[in-house]
Amino acid sequence: MARFEVVAGRAIGMSILLDDELLIGRHADGAGRLADDDEISRSHARISLDRSGFCAIEDLGSTNGTFVNGLRISGPQTLSVGDTVEVGGTTLVVRELPVPTTERALKAVHPQPTVAPRSASQETPSIARGPSGRPQRGLHPADRPGADRPTPPPGAAPAGDEDERTTERTSLSLTLHVDLSAREAAVAIGEGAEPIRLVFDGEAWRPAS
């Protein structure tokens, strides 16, 4: 429901409630007569409130015109809270208006949560598989390159130095050929080595007989 307050004219202090339409003029009924303002026309203006909550005023060909915020209107004019309406010797102020249906609908829509893309650190690590097709056991975190190692007790040799003295690093080549259509594979460990043939029996890779 809309509410208008008369702030100047014969009907000063009057509050007019509107839930549909208000005809302003000397031939109007009730509040639309504005306490018999003799400066308004017989059918001066009409204020309407539609079902969506929008309120508008239009002049009905009055002699002295209809003014919104000091400007004479020539067609329907939408009203907002705080607007002033001048008809004849009467001035009204829009005090309350219902919230339009479109605004109520927008307020009722809850924002959707934003799904952030997974970063590279969150991706599931790939699982290495051996010649048998079964997952291989991964390296212990302490054995990974760059991993922090425990600090040795005083007087003990660092683990890295001991490894360098007792372990010699060797290179090893691995050649793998897989024929998916035939479900066969050949694995050669080291250069010039005889390849090992494997077949897939539906569950795992096994050496060919």
Side-chain angles (χ1 to χ4, degrees), residues 165-180:
R165 292 195 302 267
T166 60
T167 304
E168 294 183 359
R169 298 182 180 274
T170 58
S171 60
L172 181 65
S173 63
L174 175 66
T175 305
L176 174 64
H177 294 282
V178 180
D179 187 348
L180 295 179

Side-chain angles (χ1 to χ4, degrees), residues 58-153:
E58 61 178 324
D59 187 82
L60 299 178
S62 65
T63 301
N64 296 327
T66 299
F67 298 80
V68 175
N69 297 328
L71 299 177
R72 185 166 184 167
I73 63 174
S74 57
Q77 174 72 41
T78 302
L79 296 175
S80 302
V81 174
D83 287 347
T84 60
V85 177
E86 298 176 45
V87 286
T90 302
T91 302
L92 304 94
V93 177
V94 183
R95 294 302 189 193
E96 296 179 19
L97 286 177
V99 178
T101 304
T102 53
E103 294 185 17
R104 291 198 299 269
L106 290 175
K107 292 180 180 179
V109 176
H110 296 286
Q112 296 297 321
T114 302
V115 179
R118 297 180 63 184
S119 62
S121 61
Q122 295 175 318
E123 294 294 337
T124 303
S126 59
I127 300 175
R129 296 180 179 273
S132 64
R134 300 181 181 276
Q136 289 184 324
R137 186 182 302 275
L139 293 176
H140 190 275
D143 296 332
R144 295 175 182 170
D148 294 336
R149 297 178 180 270
T151 303

